[in-house]
Amino acid sequence: MTDTETDVTASPEILTSARGTPLSKRGERTRRKLLDAAEQVFAALGYYDASIVKITEAAGVSQGTFYIYFEGKQQIFDELVADLNRRVRHAMSEAAAQGHSRAERERLGFGGYFRFTAEHPALYRIIRQAEFVSPDAMHQHYAKIAEGYMEGLRHAMNTGEVVRADPEVLAWALMGVGELIGMRWILWDGPEPKRIPEDVFAEMYAFITRGLGTPSEPIPR
């Protein structure tokens, strides 16, 4: 699962208040605290049972402070989806960039994705809530990942690293593999998030490289 062709850090986002004014460094830190708190609260309680009171309590700020940065619960939820999307794409692209072949970039990119989701299992729960709470935010989440993935696959096809196929279909199929493998072995397997077992990762990687028609790179032990 790679996103190397979409540079998510090249143009840092200018963060603003709810009124659209640029934030100071202190303001950025407070906004970050609110997003981190929202991640915890929405994951634990779900969108409808979550509240601004619970988010501000978790962040350790007042309700008045919340409204400096966000207009309401819907906006912070949408911003959280976009924030998690940026962060997971960065984790994938940073890991995949270390690879020297498409197969190696796939292996490293999936590794980056699984590490991120192990640290942020709320990603799964929040994106599934978005299907009902904010469908546009959910669509954007997947579309942004797919966009970079398709570019990488097109390049690999042009250089003969993978078989020629519809890059959009391949991108969504590979995204589905990563999401469901992660759900099964990270989110569901035990009370605490865990790393993907080595044998599971190896089996998944072999399946992917067979599907792409590219030789597997050895998996470091």
Side-chain angles (χ1 to χ4, degrees):
M1 181 173 282
T2 64
D3 190 36
T4 56
E5 283 64 41
T6 301
D7 188 344
V8 296
T9 60
S11 301
E13 181 187 18
I14 298 175
L15 300 178
T16 63
S17 69
R19 295 182 178 181
T21 56
L23 297 179
S24 64
K25 292 297 182 183
R26 181 179 179 183
E28 290 180 4
R29 289 193 295 271
T30 302
R31 186 179 187 276
R32 178 75 262 160
K33 286 171 63 177
L34 284 163
L35 284 171
D36 289 344
E39 181 180 341
Q40 299 170 21
V41 173
F42 284 127
L45 302 178
Y47 180 84
Y48 295 106
D49 288 334
S51 67
I52 292 171
V53 171
K54 289 183 172 66
I55 292 170
T56 54
E57 286 177 349
V61 303
S62 68
Q63 290 186 60
T65 298
F66 175 93
Y67 289 105
I68 294 174
Y69 301 95
F70 304 101
E71 294 177 355
K73 186 168 75 167
Q74 181 71 59
Q75 187 189 18
I76 195 172
F77 181 86
D78 290 349
E79 289 289 336
L80 177 60
V81 173
D83 178 70
L84 286 167
N85 176 268
R86 283 189 294 269
R87 292 160 68 195
V88 72
R89 286 189 295 125
H90 176 69
M92 292 187 297
S93 62
E94 188 176 55
Q98 306 303 312
H100 300 291
S101 68
R102 186 67 204 182
E104 190 178 18
R105 288 194 291 273
E106 288 293 337
R107 174 173 61 78
L108 294 171
F110 270 99
Y113 174 77
F114 290 139
R115 284 191 296 274
F116 183 89
T117 53
E119 294 170 3
H120 300 275
L123 174 69
Y124 288 107
R125 301 184 180 101
I126 288 166
I127 295 303
R128 269 153 182 69
Q129 292 176 47
E131 180 180 1
F132 305 99
V133 174
S134 188
D136 286 346
M138 184 197 72
H139 295 163
Q140 284 296 309
H141 168 74
Y142 288 115
K144 286 182 178 179
I145 295 174
E147 181 182 355
Y149 217 151
M150 286 187 286
E151 285 302 310
L153 289 169
R154 288 191 188 99
H155 177 75
M157 289 174 197
N158 290 335
T159 58
E161 288 191 83
V162 302
V163 296
R164 286 207 169 271
D166 186 325
E168 183 175 11
V169 174
L170 286 184
W172 286 87
L174 291 166
M175 287 161 55
V177 169
E179 182 159 334
L180 289 174
I181 291 288
M183 183 182 297
R184 163 63 179 84
W185 275 278
I186 292 176
L187 190 64
W188 293 354
D189 197 14
E192 297 295 330
K194 298 178 180 179
R195 65 191 298 268
I196 300 292
E198 289 185 3
D199 61 325
V200 172
F201 191 93
E203 194 70 46
M204 179 203 71
Y205 180 56
F207 172 79
I208 288 169
T209 53
R210 286 197 301 269
L212 292 176
T214 181
S216 299
E217 299 283 342
I219 298 177
R221 296 296 179 182

